């Protein structure tokens, strides 16, 4: 068993080195110890119209007995396109079980983006808008890979009829600005329970001219869907490669810690009752 795990680890390291060499600045290490990486994929490097961030986590069993766990992060990626692309990636894995597949995944995504850019009738992300009526509806929550907590959705999420519509703007806490190496950072935090509130918070923040004119406005959100026992989540880098992915990963880590603590409290309480 130990020998098999060592072989997997070696193959993973060799693949990681190869991906870094092939994709250069497009390949980013999100969490080296957890083997979480992000690669930015464009349809055209010279004049990109469509961009998607593919975030992957390599489990210990990959590539011999398990696929990478992944997220597809792109504000423009709709439900059907997301499902079709997910099916394509999973088909690649099935056809290459036991083999390293990250390069195949990246190039498949790039091929999809290139075909999309060639569709003249398809508007780009900067001119593609939804009506208010569309924003009040909802798509189903698609779960990527095999683990519910890695499902993600873009901000163009629509709200389901079963979900209670939240009209009120949640309270927003503003952190103290921090200056480091001539760059200033400020955090903003708001408790949201649906994607519409995410839009409301962003719109409110952008009313501030300093925020609206910032070089990079990075955000991430996670919303727990109790009925499906999974998380609705997404992030935005705004030109700072993998920054949103790192923020989202940090939120995932903190959620896991909080969940573990709650389980321990419940277990201790149950023991006390006996």
């Amino acid at each position: 068993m130990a020998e098999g795990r060592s072989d997997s680890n070696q193959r993973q390291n060799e693949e990681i080195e190869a991906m870094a060499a092939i994709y250069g600045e497009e390949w980013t290490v999100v969490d080296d110890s957890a083997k979480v990486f992000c690669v930015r994929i464009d349809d055209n490097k010279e004049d990109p119209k469509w961009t998607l961030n593919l975030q992957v986590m390599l489990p210990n069993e990959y590539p011999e007995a398990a696929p990478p766990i992944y997220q597809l992060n792109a504000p423009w990626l709709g439900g059907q396109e997301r499902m079709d692309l997910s099916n394509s990636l999973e088909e690649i894995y099935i056809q290459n079980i036991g083999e390293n597949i990250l390069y195949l995944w990246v190039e498949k995504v790039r091929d999809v983006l290139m075909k999309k850019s060639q569709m003249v009738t398809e508007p780009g992300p900067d001119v593609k808008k939804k009506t208010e009526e569309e924003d009040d509806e909802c798509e189903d929550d698609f779960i990527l890979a095999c683990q519910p907590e890695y499902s993600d959705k873009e901000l163009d999420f629509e709200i389901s009829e079963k979900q209670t519509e939240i009209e009120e703007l949640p309270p927003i806490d503003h952190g103290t600005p921090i200056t480091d190496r001539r760059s200033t950072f400020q955090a903003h935090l708001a408790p949201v329970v649906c994607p519409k509130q995410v839009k409301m918070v962003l719109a409110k923040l952008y009313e501030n001219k300093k925020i609206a004119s910032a070089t990079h406005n990075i955000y991430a959100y996670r919303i727990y869907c109790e009925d499906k026992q999974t998380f609705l989540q997404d992030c935005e880098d705004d030109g700072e490669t993998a920054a949103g992915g790192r923020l989202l990963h940090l939120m995932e880590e903190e959620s896991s810690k909080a969940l573990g603590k709650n389980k321990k409290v419940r277990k201790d309480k149950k023991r006390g009752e006996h």
Side-chain angles (χ1 to χ4, degrees):
M1 181 68 72
E3 183 178 349
R5 181 166 297 181
S6 176
D7 182 56
S8 293
N9 190 59
Q10 181 178 347
R11 292 181 63 184
Q12 287 184 16
N13 291 336
E14 291 174 352
E15 184 176 26
I16 291 167
E17 291 179 6
M19 294 294 287
I22 293 171
Y23 296 107
E25 294 183 355
E26 297 175 351
W27 175 266
T28 307
V29 179
V30 178
D31 188 331
D32 191 31
S33 60
K35 292 195 173 180
V36 180
F37 307 93
C38 183
V39 57
R40 187 184 73 251
I41 309 168
D42 301 316
D43 62 323
N44 186 318
K45 292 184 179 180
E46 301 298 327
D47 183 24
K49 295 180 180 178
W50 302 95
T51 299
L52 183 147
N53 288 323
L54 172 64
Q55 183 170 309
V56 296
M57 185 182 79
L58 306 182
N60 293 330
E61 298 78 13
Y62 172 78
E64 278 81 4
I69 297 167
Y70 67 95
Q71 289 181 331
L72 300 171
N73 295 328
W76 53 265
L77 189 61
Q80 188 58 51
E81 288 179 307
R82 183 182 296 276
M83 177 171 281
D84 291 343
L85 185 51
S86 296
N87 289 340
S88 296
L89 298 186
E90 289 160 13
E91 184 177 349
I92 289 174
Y93 168 70
I94 292 173
Q95 293 174 349
N96 297 273
I97 291 178
E99 302 296 328
N100 298 91
I101 59 171
L102 293 185
Y103 177 80
L104 296 177
W105 274 12
V106 172
E107 292 309 309
K108 178 60 182 181
V109 173
R110 194 185 308 280
D111 181 60
V112 170
L113 297 184
M114 291 175 64
K115 288 180 180 179
K116 187 174 181 65
S117 67
Q118 293 170 2
M119 296 173 61
V120 181
T121 57
E122 181 71 36
D126 55 336
V127 297
K128 197 174 190 180
K129 296 182 179 179
K130 287 179 177 270
T131 63
E132 289 298 326
E133 290 79 9
E134 288 175 327
D135 287 335
D136 289 338
E137 298 172 357
C138 182
E139 298 172 357
D140 290 333
D141 181 19
F142 293 109
I143 300 176
L144 301 184
C146 303
Q147 298 193 5
E149 66 180 22
Y150 275 84
S151 64
D152 67 67
K153 276 303 210 174
E154 63 277 10
L155 276 183
D156 286 333
F157 230 78
E158 301 164 0
I159 301 172
S160 68
E161 296 178 358
K162 295 181 180 179
Q163 183 177 1
T164 303
E165 189 174 56
I166 306 297
E167 296 291 348
E168 295 183 0
L169 175 71
I172 304 175
D173 290 330
H174 307 280
T176 303
I178 300 173
T179 300
D180 179 35
R181 286 170 290 183
R182 294 184 295 179
S183 294
T184 302
F185 305 86
Q186 185 178 19
H188 310 277
L189 179 67
V192 296
V193 296
C194 68
K196 186 170 184 178
Q197 280 195 324
V198 177
K199 289 184 179 182
M200 294 169 67
V201 170
L202 291 173
K204 184 63 177 179
L205 289 173
Y206 289 149
E207 290 178 5
N208 185 305
K209 292 183 179 180
K210 288 186 177 180
I211 295 177
S213 61
T215 307
H216 304 290
N217 280 310
I218 300 155
Y219 68 81
Y221 68 87
R222 298 191 86 211
I223 301 170
Y224 184 65
C225 303
E226 189 172 354
D227 57 337
K228 297 179 181 179
Q229 294 187 348
T230 186
F231 283 94
L232 174 65
Q233 63 184 42
D234 198 8
C235 60
E236 172 59 49
D237 298 328
D238 194 25
E240 186 70 14
T241 305
R246 289 190 178 99
L247 180 58
L248 181 58
H249 182 66
L250 178 61
M251 295 172 69
E252 291 170 346
E253 291 292 317
E254 292 301 314
S255 296
S256 298
K257 291 179 183 178
L259 182 60
K261 184 177 180 180
N262 289 338
K263 286 182 177 179
K264 185 177 184 301
V265 170
R266 287 197 299 269
K267 187 175 182 181
D268 290 344
K269 184 178 180 180
K270 188 175 181 181
R271 285 179 177 175
E273 291 174 352
H274 286 293

